[in-house]
Amino acid sequence: MLYACLLPDFVSMPLNPGFPSEPLPEPPSGPTGESFFILDSDGPKSVQTAAPSAVQPLFGLSIEQLSELMAGLGEQNFRARQLAQALYRDRTPDLDTITTLPLALREKLAAAAYAVGLPPILQTFRSIDGTERYLIGASGNQTVETVWMPDGDGAEDNDDEADTSPVRKRATICVSSQIGCAVNCQFCLTAKLGIERNLTAGEIVGQVVALLRRHQVELGRDRINLVFMGMGEPFLNYNAFMDAVRLLVDEVGLPPSRMTVSTSGIVPGIERFAKETVRPRLAISLNASNNTVREAVMPITRKWPIEAVIEAARSMPLGPREKITFEYVLLGGVNDSLIHADEVVTLARRAGFPSKVNLIVWNPGPGIPYHQPKGEDVARFQQRLIARGVPAFIRRPRGRDIYAACGQLKKTTEANS
Ligand code: SAH
Ligand code: SF4
């Protein structure tokens, strides 16, 4: 509560101090110039996707779009399927090596300024715990962050799937949806960047495919989970995020039941998401047990209070054993008492849908004025939830030494020294 009085008033400020105060220029027209809207207290603002470039990436195109492209080039439709196979399943990095396509077609594509466009891994940081953080190239000389966590961090555990089949390799990929973020959560390092831009569907899928390629993943033998918990708020880049999900399911071959999207509570996004027939699981970043504390740590609560977020989630039809996850970042002395735990229990019960709580010990970042909770308080919090019938798990912090943990993604080009 102490923090509440130190924080700026959400109503009088944009969602993020880094958010441009001047209106952004009109987005350019063309295939990569789609604009999206950020909803904030000052009304919608448009955020651009990648600037159009001379080279057209094939990566990110759906099978329908590839079919249109083939038709436009006077090619037969089965070529679109071959191209999709090369891009998304074989992870072929350039046109020259797509040998399933005749040379003449590859030349035609190159002459029309098409390239594969699989994003390159520019830098890799490896943690002592095996976690790897990557800076991946995005258009306009920008980079995006993606994290590979061998064995995951517990966030993705599908506790409803008792699957004991032998698996060669298990990992969780933490995917970014935007460069920076417009939601000004006070405990999050990504928030410090402000929003730079939305990622395209190709740039979102590209992060995943680049990592599958690097780690020579064999889907079917290896167990890969995806969490959309990297940089950005997926529901403020809804169309590209969902286009990416469809590509990941239909073309890359990852099941939606192994994907989780986390939102800070963008109500219109949750309502839309609830109507999707193929979708990842939902995680809501609750992070506080009542609106007063939540407004202090997540000013977006003034726009969409906890009850509105839960009401929107309630409209989502759940699978037979599906649960909605509440993520709860424990901030020492702010939201980690037993009173807070009891309020979380009340919220979870009132929600009425099957849920579980993932407790995340706050990861510190430079210039962020919070404290880590004490170990015993974390354990007490978890035990209280469990004792009162709310499943609760503690997420293992991963890759803290390389700024790869939750809320630490800030395009850092150094390891944590
Ligand atoms: N923008 C989305 C997804 C990315 S953040 C969201 O907020 O849900 C992913 C998770 O990291 C969220 O649950 C968020 O609350 C948590 N997080 C952010 N900063 C953190 C920090 N410094 N330490 C621990 N968790 C953090
Ligand atoms: Fe954005 Fe999520 Fe960080 Fe909040 S916690 S600033 S929504 S990335």
Side-chain angles (χ1 to χ4, degrees), residues 181 183-185 187-188 190-191 230-233 264 298:
C181 187
V183 185
N184 190 17
C185 303
F187 48 80
C188 173
T190 305
M231 290 171 95
E233 168 49 60
S264 56
M298 297 178 73

mmCIF file with all atom_site columns, all heavy atoms in Angstrom, residues 181 183-185 187-188 190-191 230-233 264 298, ligand 2:
data_model
loop_
_atom_site.group_PDB
_atom_site.id
_atom_site.type_symbol
_atom_site.label_atom_id
_atom_site.label_alt_id
_atom_site.label_comp_id
_atom_site.label_asym_id
_atom_site.label_entity_id
_atom_site.label_seq_id
_atom_site.pdbx_PDB_ins_code
_atom_site.Cartn_x
_atom_site.Cartn_y
_atom_site.Cartn_z
_atom_site.occupancy
_atom_site.B_iso_or_equiv
_atom_site.pdbx_formal_charge
_atom_site.auth_seq_id
_atom_site.auth_comp_id
_atom_site.auth_asym_id
_atom_site.auth_atom_id
_atom_site.pdbx_PDB_model_num
ATOM   1   N  N   . CYS A 1 181 ? 6.063  -2.807  -24.263 1.00 0.00 ? 181 CYS A N   1
ATOM   2   C  CA  . CYS A 1 181 ? 4.688  -3.018  -23.805 1.00 0.00 ? 181 CYS A CA  1
ATOM   3   C  C   . CYS A 1 181 ? 4.077  -1.688  -23.386 1.00 0.00 ? 181 CYS A C   1
ATOM   4   O  O   . CYS A 1 181 ? 4.755  -0.839  -22.816 1.00 0.00 ? 181 CYS A O   1
ATOM   5   C  CB  . CYS A 1 181 ? 4.656  -3.994  -22.635 1.00 0.00 ? 181 CYS A CB  1
ATOM   6   S  SG  . CYS A 1 181 ? 2.969  -4.437  -22.156 1.00 0.00 ? 181 CYS A SG  1
ATOM   7   N  N   . VAL A 1 183 ? 1.412  -1.513  -21.387 1.00 0.00 ? 183 VAL A N   1
ATOM   8   C  CA  . VAL A 1 183 ? 0.725  -1.653  -20.092 1.00 0.00 ? 183 VAL A CA  1
ATOM   9   C  C   . VAL A 1 183 ? 1.765  -1.404  -19.003 1.00 0.00 ? 183 VAL A C   1
ATOM   10  O  O   . VAL A 1 183 ? 2.751  -2.112  -18.924 1.00 0.00 ? 183 VAL A O   1
ATOM   11  C  CB  . VAL A 1 183 ? 0.109  -3.055  -19.952 1.00 0.00 ? 183 VAL A CB  1
ATOM   12  C  CG1 . VAL A 1 183 ? -0.692 -3.155  -18.671 1.00 0.00 ? 183 VAL A CG1 1
ATOM   13  C  CG2 . VAL A 1 183 ? -0.767 -3.379  -21.152 1.00 0.00 ? 183 VAL A CG2 1
ATOM   14  N  N   . ASN A 1 184 ? 1.493  -0.439  -18.209 1.00 0.00 ? 184 ASN A N   1
ATOM   15  C  CA  . ASN A 1 184 ? 2.552  0.088   -17.354 1.00 0.00 ? 184 ASN A CA  1
ATOM   16  C  C   . ASN A 1 184 ? 2.627  -0.601  -15.986 1.00 0.00 ? 184 ASN A C   1
ATOM   17  O  O   . ASN A 1 184 ? 2.547  0.064   -14.957 1.00 0.00 ? 184 ASN A O   1
ATOM   18  C  CB  . ASN A 1 184 ? 2.281  1.590   -17.198 1.00 0.00 ? 184 ASN A CB  1
ATOM   19  C  CG  . ASN A 1 184 ? 3.415  2.313   -16.542 1.00 0.00 ? 184 ASN A CG  1
ATOM   20  O  OD1 . ASN A 1 184 ? 4.526  1.804   -16.460 1.00 0.00 ? 184 ASN A OD1 1
ATOM   21  N  ND2 . ASN A 1 184 ? 3.129  3.505   -16.040 1.00 0.00 ? 184 ASN A ND2 1
ATOM   22  N  N   . CYS A 1 185 ? 2.789  -1.914  -15.982 1.00 0.00 ? 185 CYS A N   1
ATOM   23  C  CA  . CYS A 1 185 ? 2.876  -2.604  -14.695 1.00 0.00 ? 185 CYS A CA  1
ATOM   24  C  C   . CYS A 1 185 ? 4.146  -2.146  -13.983 1.00 0.00 ? 185 CYS A C   1
ATOM   25  O  O   . CYS A 1 185 ? 5.234  -2.159  -14.569 1.00 0.00 ? 185 CYS A O   1
ATOM   26  C  CB  . CYS A 1 185 ? 2.876  -4.115  -14.898 1.00 0.00 ? 185 CYS A CB  1
ATOM   27  S  SG  . CYS A 1 185 ? 1.419  -4.666  -15.801 1.00 0.00 ? 185 CYS A SG  1
ATOM   28  N  N   . PHE A 1 187 ? 5.997  -3.319  -11.695 1.00 0.00 ? 187 PHE A N   1
ATOM   29  C  CA  . PHE A 1 187 ? 7.026  -4.267  -11.242 1.00 0.00 ? 187 PHE A CA  1
ATOM   30  C  C   . PHE A 1 187 ? 7.778  -4.893  -12.414 1.00 0.00 ? 187 PHE A C   1
ATOM   31  O  O   . PHE A 1 187 ? 8.629  -5.759  -12.230 1.00 0.00 ? 187 PHE A O   1
ATOM   32  C  CB  . PHE A 1 187 ? 6.354  -5.394  -10.428 1.00 0.00 ? 187 PHE A CB  1
ATOM   33  C  CG  . PHE A 1 187 ? 5.148  -5.962  -11.133 1.00 0.00 ? 187 PHE A CG  1
ATOM   34  C  CD1 . PHE A 1 187 ? 5.296  -6.883  -12.145 1.00 0.00 ? 187 PHE A CD1 1
ATOM   35  C  CD2 . PHE A 1 187 ? 3.864  -5.515  -10.818 1.00 0.00 ? 187 PHE A CD2 1
ATOM   36  C  CE1 . PHE A 1 187 ? 4.199  -7.373  -12.829 1.00 0.00 ? 187 PHE A CE1 1
ATOM   37  C  CE2 . PHE A 1 187 ? 2.755  -6.005  -11.496 1.00 0.00 ? 187 PHE A CE2 1
ATOM   38  C  CZ  . PHE A 1 187 ? 2.922  -6.937  -12.504 1.00 0.00 ? 187 PHE A CZ  1
ATOM   39  N  N   . CYS A 1 188 ? 7.437  -4.484  -13.656 1.00 0.00 ? 188 CYS A N   1
ATOM   40  C  CA  . CYS A 1 188 ? 7.913  -5.206  -14.837 1.00 0.00 ? 188 CYS A CA  1
ATOM   41  C  C   . CYS A 1 188 ? 8.937  -4.392  -15.612 1.00 0.00 ? 188 CYS A C   1
ATOM   42  O  O   . CYS A 1 188 ? 8.716  -3.225  -15.932 1.00 0.00 ? 188 CYS A O   1
ATOM   43  C  CB  . CYS A 1 188 ? 6.711  -5.519  -15.733 1.00 0.00 ? 188 CYS A CB  1
ATOM   44  S  SG  . CYS A 1 188 ? 7.172  -6.243  -17.317 1.00 0.00 ? 188 CYS A SG  1
ATOM   45  N  N   . THR A 1 190 ? 9.939  -4.889  -18.701 1.00 0.00 ? 190 THR A N   1
ATOM   46  C  CA  . THR A 1 190 ? 9.520  -4.635  -20.087 1.00 0.00 ? 190 THR A CA  1
ATOM   47  C  C   . THR A 1 190 ? 8.733  -3.322  -20.169 1.00 0.00 ? 190 THR A C   1
ATOM   48  O  O   . THR A 1 190 ? 8.823  -2.592  -21.152 1.00 0.00 ? 190 THR A O   1
ATOM   49  C  CB  . THR A 1 190 ? 8.637  -5.791  -20.606 1.00 0.00 ? 190 THR A CB  1
ATOM   50  O  OG1 . THR A 1 190 ? 9.343  -7.011  -20.446 1.00 0.00 ? 190 THR A OG1 1
ATOM   51  C  CG2 . THR A 1 190 ? 8.286  -5.613  -22.062 1.00 0.00 ? 190 THR A CG2 1
ATOM   52  N  N   . ALA A 1 191 ? 7.982  -3.020  -19.117 1.00 0.00 ? 191 ALA A N   1
ATOM   53  C  CA  . ALA A 1 191 ? 7.171  -1.794  -19.108 1.00 0.00 ? 191 ALA A CA  1
ATOM   54  C  C   . ALA A 1 191 ? 8.036  -0.556  -19.312 1.00 0.00 ? 191 ALA A C   1
ATOM   55  O  O   . ALA A 1 191 ? 7.605  0.442   -19.886 1.00 0.00 ? 191 ALA A O   1
ATOM   56  C  CB  . ALA A 1 191 ? 6.409  -1.690  -17.790 1.00 0.00 ? 191 ALA A CB  1
ATOM   57  N  N   . GLY A 1 230 ? 6.330  -13.521 -23.023 1.00 0.00 ? 230 GLY A N   1
ATOM   58  C  CA  . GLY A 1 230 ? 7.539  -12.736 -23.228 1.00 0.00 ? 230 GLY A CA  1
ATOM   59  C  C   . GLY A 1 230 ? 7.211  -11.254 -23.194 1.00 0.00 ? 230 GLY A C   1
ATOM   60  O  O   . GLY A 1 230 ? 6.356  -10.813 -22.425 1.00 0.00 ? 230 GLY A O   1
ATOM   61  N  N   . MET A 1 231 ? 7.873  -10.507 -24.058 1.00 0.00 ? 231 MET A N   1
ATOM   62  C  CA  . MET A 1 231 ? 7.601  -9.066  -24.076 1.00 0.00 ? 231 MET A CA  1
ATOM   63  C  C   . MET A 1 231 ? 6.227  -8.807  -24.670 1.00 0.00 ? 231 MET A C   1
ATOM   64  O  O   . MET A 1 231 ? 5.861  -9.391  -25.682 1.00 0.00 ? 231 MET A O   1
ATOM   65  C  CB  . MET A 1 231 ? 8.623  -8.352  -24.965 1.00 0.00 ? 231 MET A CB  1
ATOM   66  C  CG  . MET A 1 231 ? 10.007 -8.322  -24.401 1.00 0.00 ? 231 MET A CG  1
ATOM   67  S  SD  . MET A 1 231 ? 11.106 -7.692  -25.674 1.00 0.00 ? 231 MET A SD  1
ATOM   68  C  CE  . MET A 1 231 ? 11.152 -6.019  -25.239 1.00 0.00 ? 231 MET A CE  1
ATOM   69  N  N   . GLY A 1 232 ? 5.531  -7.859  -24.060 1.00 0.00 ? 232 GLY A N   1
ATOM   70  C  CA  . GLY A 1 232 ? 4.302  -7.373  -24.674 1.00 0.00 ? 232 GLY A CA  1
ATOM   71  C  C   . GLY A 1 232 ? 3.037  -7.995  -24.133 1.00 0.00 ? 232 GLY A C   1
ATOM   72  O  O   . GLY A 1 232 ? 3.056  -8.976  -23.391 1.00 0.00 ? 232 GLY A O   1
ATOM   73  N  N   . GLU A 1 233 ? 1.935  -7.377  -24.522 1.00 0.00 ? 233 GLU A N   1
ATOM   74  C  CA  . GLU A 1 233 ? 0.610  -7.828  -24.104 1.00 0.00 ? 233 GLU A CA  1
ATOM   75  C  C   . GLU A 1 233 ? -0.074 -8.426  -25.341 1.00 0.00 ? 233 GLU A C   1
ATOM   76  O  O   . GLU A 1 233 ? -0.490 -7.699  -26.253 1.00 0.00 ? 233 GLU A O   1
ATOM   77  C  CB  . GLU A 1 233 ? -0.167 -6.615  -23.551 1.00 0.00 ? 233 GLU A CB  1
ATOM   78  C  CG  . GLU A 1 233 ? -1.642 -6.823  -23.335 1.00 0.00 ? 233 GLU A CG  1
ATOM   79  C  CD  . GLU A 1 233 ? -2.004 -8.100  -22.574 1.00 0.00 ? 233 GLU A CD  1
ATOM   80  O  OE1 . GLU A 1 233 ? -1.578 -8.260  -21.426 1.00 0.00 ? 233 GLU A OE1 1
ATOM   81  O  OE2 . GLU A 1 233 ? -2.721 -8.944  -23.151 1.00 0.00 ? 233 GLU A OE2 1
ATOM   82  N  N   . SER A 1 264 ? -2.669 -9.279  -19.094 1.00 0.00 ? 264 SER A N   1
ATOM   83  C  CA  . SER A 1 264 ? -2.763 -8.414  -17.920 1.00 0.00 ? 264 SER A CA  1
ATOM   84  C  C   . SER A 1 264 ? -4.224 -8.077  -17.604 1.00 0.00 ? 264 SER A C   1
ATOM   85  O  O   . SER A 1 264 ? -4.485 -7.373  -16.639 1.00 0.00 ? 264 SER A O   1
ATOM   86  C  CB  . SER A 1 264 ? -1.968 -7.134  -18.174 1.00 0.00 ? 264 SER A CB  1
ATOM   87  O  OG  . SER A 1 264 ? -2.437 -6.516  -19.362 1.00 0.00 ? 264 SER A OG  1
ATOM   88  N  N   . MET A 1 298 ? -0.652 -2.406  -10.982 1.00 0.00 ? 298 MET A N   1
ATOM   89  C  CA  . MET A 1 298 ? -1.061 -2.514  -12.391 1.00 0.00 ? 298 MET A CA  1
ATOM   90  C  C   . MET A 1 298 ? -2.116 -1.439  -12.661 1.00 0.00 ? 298 MET A C   1
ATOM   91  O  O   . MET A 1 298 ? -3.324 -1.674  -12.513 1.00 0.00 ? 298 MET A O   1
ATOM   92  C  CB  . MET A 1 298 ? -1.639 -3.907  -12.694 1.00 0.00 ? 298 MET A CB  1
ATOM   93  C  CG  . MET A 1 298 ? -0.655 -5.044  -12.506 1.00 0.00 ? 298 MET A CG  1
ATOM   94  S  SD  . MET A 1 298 ? -1.401 -6.663  -12.833 1.00 0.00 ? 298 MET A SD  1
ATOM   95  C  CE  . MET A 1 298 ? -1.560 -6.653  -14.623 1.00 0.00 ? 298 MET A CE  1
HETATM 96  FE FE1 . SF4 B 2 .   ? 3.290  -5.559  -20.175 1.00 0.00 ? 2   SF4 B FE1 1
HETATM 97  FE FE2 . SF4 B 2 .   ? 2.873  -7.932  -19.007 1.00 0.00 ? 2   SF4 B FE2 1
HETATM 98  FE FE3 . SF4 B 2 .   ? 4.989  -6.386  -18.291 1.00 0.00 ? 2   SF4 B FE3 1
HETATM 99  FE FE4 . SF4 B 2 .   ? 2.502  -5.672  -17.623 1.00 0.00 ? 2   SF4 B FE4 1
HETATM 100 S  S1  . SF4 B 2 .   ? 3.603  -7.502  -16.924 1.00 0.00 ? 2   SF4 B S1  1
HETATM 101 S  S2  . SF4 B 2 .   ? 4.076  -4.315  -18.494 1.00 0.00 ? 2   SF4 B S2  1
HETATM 102 S  S3  . SF4 B 2 .   ? 1.349  -6.322  -19.401 1.00 0.00 ? 2   SF4 B S3  1
HETATM 103 S  S4  . SF4 B 2 .   ? 4.653  -7.327  -20.282 1.00 0.00 ? 2   SF4 B S4  1
#
